[in-house]
Structures are given as C-alpha cells and as structure tokens.
Amino acid sequence: MENSDKRFDRVVMRLSPPDNVAVALRPLKAGETVMLDGVPLTIGRNIAVGHKLAARAIAKGEVIVKYSCPIGTAITRIAPGEYVHTHNVESNYLLTYTLPD
C-alpha cells in the first residue's frame, strides 16, 4: 500500500517559516542529500535526530532562528546542510546570575 501522506517522507523539518535552521527527524549521514521545502541540502557531517542543521547559508554574525525565536549568533559562516551547534554558534541566552536584581 502506497503512503500518499508526504509528511511521513520528511527527514528534516523547519519548525517555523522564518527559521534559518531545520531539525533532523532521523539520524543523518555525512554526504547524503535531503530535501527541505523542495531544496536539496547536502549533509556536511553526521547529525543526530533532533539536532539542528542550516536550512540555508548563514553568514557569520547572523542570528540563528529556531521556532521563530533567536537562539544564538553564528560565529562563522555556516553552509546549507551543515550541523549547527556550539562549535559554530554562540548562545544568546543570559546566564541567570547575570540578570539584574
């Protein structure tokens, strides 16, 4: 029986339209090509399920947006399909002890 519901064919997903990152829905292997919104992305390195990858080219200094929320700033240029994590993103979250009283 053929599954006509394309939602189940996805392996990456953008959580909100303005996001510049997507989330892996299954483990992704370096070198494989996946589709996101009709655009092919070549995976740069293995990415675990639930982790982020660049949905498009992200410039150094650009804000990383996930679920329509800013979560960090790119500390280097990030290519489409590249793993997005602490090695190439600086968190924009404040530590609780830095908040004013």
Side-chain angles (χ1 to χ4, degrees), residues 33-77:
T33 299
V34 300
M35 297 298 286
L36 176 65
D37 302 331
V39 177
L41 299 174
T42 300
I43 304 304
R45 69 185 245 194
N46 292 348
I47 300 174
V49 65
H51 283 248
K52 298 176 296 302
L53 61 142
R56 59 167 177 76
I58 300 172
K60 179 180 180 180
E62 187 175 344
V63 173
I64 304 298
V65 180
K66 179 181 175 188
Y67 215 6
S68 297
C69 297
I71 62 168
T73 302
I75 58 175
T76 186
R77 182 188 179 285

Side-chain angles (χ1 to χ4, degrees), residues 18-37:
D19 294 357
N20 54 10
V21 295
V23 177
L25 300 178
R26 67 158 170 79
L28 304 174
K29 298 284 187 190
E32 80 173 288
T33 299
V34 300
M35 297 298 286
L36 176 65
D37 302 331

